[in-house]
Amino acid sequence: MTTLKRAPREYGSWIWDLSDSATPGLESALSVAARVCNVLTRLELLSPTHLKYSWYTLNFGPTGIASILELTKPLEDSRIPERVRGSRPSAYPSAEIADIDVIGTGKWIDAEGQSRTEPELVNLSISTTPTDLSAELSVHHDIWGKYDFAGHPHPEVHQNNAPRIATALKELSALLGIPTELGEPTYFGTATLEGLATPDVYEDGLGPNLTSRL
């Protein structure tokens, strides 16, 4: 059972625009996802278990239909694209994939140094169109920042986890061959090139209390 509070919006997100360095399309998108997941799995941030993807048509846009595929084979398996296409909704025989979310579990380290498993610790999304391809990594938990969602400092949790996301960002930019772009700030946090920005601190030493919107 999860023990972490999860924000409904991103605490931080990072984007790699691959339109100039990777071919668009399903096979390319899944290849990028597999390569990124190899890094995230080695760092124990994301062990993929499912793919979730939405469908659109060129003439009408989003269909409002999403599919979930259990990963019984590694993402690198050459049969995965066929399995994805095989789940196309019958009402839309020309539908294509818009976005692919890689869903799985990751491990975080608590204040006592214990490793704990958490569903969707980090989120990976690959977007593909006939002309573009991009990858986005996002986080929704407070363990990556210096303060929890209630505004209390948690230095041990931060020290145990923040360097891991910093390492992931550095390795993914090297893997993909381009620097990351920062996602838009949200009510819950702001991304930096190394992780998460430290919020303004009040005179009592506390950060902002964000729990009303969790």
Side-chain angles (χ1 to χ4, degrees):
M1 180 179 295
T2 182
T3 60
L4 295 180
K5 291 183 173 64
R6 180 180 175 86
R9 290 289 311 280
E10 297 87 350
Y11 186 28
S13 61
W14 302 267
I15 301 166
W16 290 267
D17 183 351
L18 304 172
S19 55
D20 293 331
S21 58
T23 304
L26 178 60
E27 279 79 6
S28 181
L30 290 173
S31 175
V32 168
R35 293 163 61 205
V36 170
C37 280
N38 284 339
V39 172
L40 298 177
T41 298
R42 176 168 48 80
L43 296 173
E44 297 188 313
L45 293 172
L46 175 61
S47 296
T49 58
H50 297 78
L51 296 179
K52 181 179 180 180
Y53 38 94
S54 52
W55 297 91
Y56 77 98
T57 63
L58 291 176
N59 293 329
F60 300 103
T63 65
I65 298 173
S67 302
I68 296 178
L69 178 69
E70 182 180 359
L71 287 173
T72 58
K73 302 289 184 181
L75 268 174
E76 297 91 340
D77 193 287
S78 60
R79 292 165 288 185
I80 296 292
E82 180 182 356
R83 294 184 63 199
V84 169
R85 290 193 176 96
S87 62
R88 178 184 284 116
S90 59
Y92 299 92
S94 63
E96 297 293 342
I97 300 295
D99 300 292
I100 304 172
D101 295 325
V102 183
I103 300 172
T105 61
K107 292 183 178 180
W108 65 284
I109 304 170
D110 65 18
E112 287 72 43
Q114 292 279 19
S115 178
R116 298 181 178 274
T117 299
E118 182 75 13
E120 297 187 72
L121 183 69
V122 302
N123 295 88
L124 173 64
S125 179
I126 310 294
S127 296
T128 181
T129 70
T131 58
D132 293 306
L133 184 68
S134 64
E136 179 175 1
L137 187 72
S138 62
V139 295
H140 291 248
H141 301 97
D142 60 10
I143 61 172
W144 316 107
K146 291 185 177 180
Y147 296 82
D148 65 20
F149 286 137
H152 300 118
H154 54 181
E156 294 86 3
V157 171
H158 173 258
Q159 183 56 43
N160 288 341
N161 295 283
R164 301 169 62 222
I165 204 72
T167 297
L169 295 174
K170 182 178 179 180
E171 291 195 14
L172 290 178
S173 290
L175 171 74
L176 299 173
I178 55 173
T180 183
E181 301 174 14
L182 303 180
E184 292 292 330
T186 71
Y187 176 79
F188 298 97
T190 301
T192 70
L193 294 177
E194 293 79 29
L196 282 303
T198 300
D200 294 333
V201 180
Y202 301 115
E203 291 182 0
D204 59 4
L206 299 180
N209 187 333
L210 310 175
T211 56
S212 64
R213 296 197 186 181
L214 292 180

